[in-house]
Amino acid sequence: SHSTDHTDYRNTLDRIFNDISHQPLQGHAADYIPELAKVNPSQFGISLCHSSGEVYNVGDAQTKFSIQSIVKVFSLALAYRLKGEALWQRLGVEPSGGAFNSLALLEFEQGIPRNPFINAGALVIADILVSHWVNPKYTLLAFVRQLANTPSIDFNLSVAASEAMHGHRNAALVQLMKSFGNIHNDPRDVLDMYFHICSIEMTCQELAQAFLVFAHGGQHPITGETMLSLSQTKRMNALMQTCGFYDESGDYSFRVGLPGKSGVGGGVAAVHPGHYSVAVWSPPLNAKGNSARGIAALEQLTTQTGVSIF
Ligand code: GLN
């Protein structure tokens, strides 16, 4: 191994995978849209991309799945490149303490979402991207392909269509924020953008590859191009640490100790700045809507290696 640290990631990941695979599945895969409910819940994969260039895969690390809210990290990065610190006039950087799709705080906070990773915040980010590009969903898709160095990454159009059919709460969030003036475009265009980008499918390996930029101070791991400034990268990692798991962000931080982001498709992606990025996928979700095995695997990773950002 050419790793710059002395951890044996191959053995560590194999051990974690075998240990968790032998535990009974807990929780249920998301079933609010039929497409997500069709996924075989026993699939389980882990991919770790080390900053040395080594990639370690276990289990279903090369199976595509719906990244869902993990895309909020990519859409934030794209909007942050565009707007810089002016972004924070339209959304906050504080944990919400509420569910990912909550409307509750918006009414009292003049339509300013607490952070970019709850749905309200991601919808404001979608609105910003809709304002700037003619084909914003394709611009975002191209950005994700570039980060993951994988041109085949694409939307799942039936997931996007199904989400639109069932997306009443997201529609309510957009309408409520529009009433406060914090959505500038036609709500239908903002929702179309949001539902499509949530439907993007990636493998654990592609996700880990795409997250490596956050472990590398904003430099693209392959081309060396500056994708985000050092300060922007620090702030994105801080937001993932404090807000990446909704009202489980504190418990996740406590157990794992790495910036990360979950999605309702059962994916979790995390980074150890300067060391590695890692993605785990297991569809069954816990009560907070985060992958139960995903969090368990990351907890074991930082526990067994003895290294986290803390
Ligand atoms: N598209 C999903 C929604 O808005 C994303 C939610 C999630 O992954 N937590 O309901």
Side-chain angles (χ1 to χ4, degrees), residues 32 67-70 72 100 119 163 170 194-195 198 246 262-265 289:
Y32 73 102
I67 70 167
Q68 293 292 325
S69 285
I70 300 172
K72 294 170 180 172
F100 68 91
N119 285 15
E163 188 100 40
N170 286 314
Y194 177 76
F195 293 143
C198 283
Y246 316 115
S262 64
V264 81

Side-chain angles (χ1 to χ4, degrees), residues 272-295:
H272 187 186
H275 295 251
Y276 61 78
S277 54
V278 59
V280 189
W281 174 52
S282 164
L285 308 177
N286 64 22
K288 305 287 188 176
N290 299 315
S291 172
R293 283 185 164 181
I295 292 180

Side-chain angles (χ1 to χ4, degrees), residues 34-221:
E35 273 66 19
L36 293 181
K38 285 181 205 155
V39 173
N40 170 2
S42 66
Q43 292 174 99
F44 180 30
I46 309 176
S47 179
L48 186 147
C49 290
H50 198 269
S51 57
S52 64
E54 303 264 329
V55 178
Y56 306 88
N57 286 340
V58 201
D60 300 309
Q62 301 202 19
T63 304
K64 298 261 190 193
F65 63 91
S66 196
I67 70 167
Q68 293 292 325
S69 285
I70 300 172
V71 81
K72 294 170 180 172
V73 175
F74 304 131
S75 56
L76 173 63
L78 192 56
Y80 207 1
R81 277 158 62 97
L82 203 58
K83 294 285 170 196
E85 300 310 313
L87 198 60
W88 311 118
Q89 291 163 10
R90 293 186 55 190
L91 69 169
V93 294
E94 204 64 62
S96 75
F100 68 91
N101 57 3
S102 177
L103 286 115
L105 292 167
L106 285 175
E107 176 73 344
F108 305 106
E109 297 180 352
Q110 279 70 51
I112 304 291
R114 276 286 174 99
N115 68 66
F117 295 149
I118 51 174
N119 285 15
L123 288 161
V124 167
I125 295 292
D127 184 63
I128 289 166
L129 300 177
V130 167
S131 291
H132 196 77
W133 279 289
V134 179
N135 288 312
K137 58 193 180 208
Y138 296 106
T139 307
L140 185 282
L141 182 62
F143 181 61
V144 174
R145 288 172 172 173
Q146 183 189 4
L147 287 178
N149 200 39
T150 309
S152 66
I153 292 169
D154 219 330
F155 307 118
N156 179 323
L157 296 178
S158 59
V159 169
S162 188
E163 188 100 40
M165 295 281 293
H166 296 84
H168 308 298
R169 185 170 276 271
N170 286 314
L173 287 166
V174 173
Q175 294 288 355
L176 182 56
M177 292 191 289
K178 183 133 184 115
S179 79
F180 285 107
N182 200 21
I183 293 289
H184 298 172
N185 296 283
D186 185 327
R188 287 168 297 188
D189 294 337
V190 177
L191 290 169
D192 180 75
M193 169 74 181
Y194 177 76
F195 293 143
H196 275 85
I197 68 174
C198 283
S199 83
I200 289 175
E201 295 185 325
M202 294 170 74
T203 68
C204 286
Q205 189 182 329
E206 290 161 1
L207 258 185
Q209 176 67 42
F211 266 67
L212 208 43
V213 70
F214 304 106
H216 274 189
Q219 304 289 120
H220 192 290

